[in-house]
Amino acid sequence: MRESTKTMGKKKGGLGMMAELLSRFCEQPVLFLKEEGKPKATAGLEALTENHKRRVLESLPSRTTLRSWLAARMGPAPTESEDLTGILPFDGKQHFREMVVSPVIVAEQIEGYCLLLRSNSGESEEISTVERLAALQGAGAAALAWSRE
């Protein structure tokens, strides 16, 4: 079962704090997902109603979608030294149109993903420097945190 949207983003320290810092930095919602697709921390969704937050979480890409994107983009064995960012469409089109994604790699294994949600206000564009930095730094922070688990 997915963790409550009320408690997920409010975790202080660890990934909860990192999600909040990244969200403020890039001015976009940030989510950390474990490899199986379960959200571990979120930030930047506070202005949404609980029902809308739930719909956003239910609209996140599946494990298969994320794995397929990674395999198509990076090949079968991505490494931590590659620029592993990309854009995926977002199914729940009410507030967000797409997401910037970067995999969390621990010991050459995919352990999860860092997602930055893009709002519907504007057209698709290339990943900005701020988005790239936020996604890569988030993925690196999550890798460090999850390597200690």
Side-chain angles (χ1 to χ4, degrees):
M1 184 93 167
R2 293 186 184 234
E3 189 172 355
S4 164
T5 58
K6 287 184 180 181
T7 61
M8 193 180 328
K10 295 185 180 186
K11 291 180 181 175
K12 298 299 177 197
L15 286 182
M17 181 181 288
M18 179 56 67
E20 287 180 27
L21 291 170
L22 289 172
S23 179
R24 280 184 269 167
F25 173 69
C26 66
E27 298 179 346
Q28 294 170 232
V30 174
L31 298 91
F32 288 104
L33 305 182
K34 284 297 274 180
E35 197 273 334
E36 69 276 2
K38 180 181 177 187
K40 292 297 283 182
T42 67
L45 299 174
E46 297 78 17
L48 302 179
T49 66
E50 283 301 311
N51 282 337
H52 195 177
K53 286 180 195 176
R54 181 182 43 77
R55 286 193 303 267
V56 166
L57 295 177
E58 289 171 353
S59 298
L60 293 175
S62 69
R63 175 183 188 181
T64 302
T65 300
L66 290 165
R67 283 182 169 184
S68 296
W69 163 79
L70 188 61
R73 169 106 195 225
M74 313 302 171
T79 65
E80 294 173 17
S81 62
E82 293 181 60
D83 179 10
L84 301 176
T85 56
I87 299 172
L88 284 175
F90 190 78
D91 289 336
K93 304 262 187 221
Q94 293 178 358
H95 272 48
F96 307 105
R97 72 179 184 281
E98 58 195 9
M99 65 196 82
V100 176
V101 60
S102 186
V104 176
I105 301 172
V106 178
E108 298 182 20
Q109 297 291 319
I110 304 301
E111 293 292 328
Y113 300 88
C114 177
L115 306 177
L116 283 62
L117 303 183
R118 287 179 157 183
S119 72
N120 274 337
S121 61
E123 295 186 26
S124 291
E125 54 190 54
E126 293 296 316
I127 299 171
S128 72
T129 301
V130 169
E131 288 174 320
R132 187 174 312 284
L133 284 171
L136 291 172
Q137 291 296 316
L144 181 61
W146 292 341
S147 70
R148 296 178 179 176
E149 290 181 353

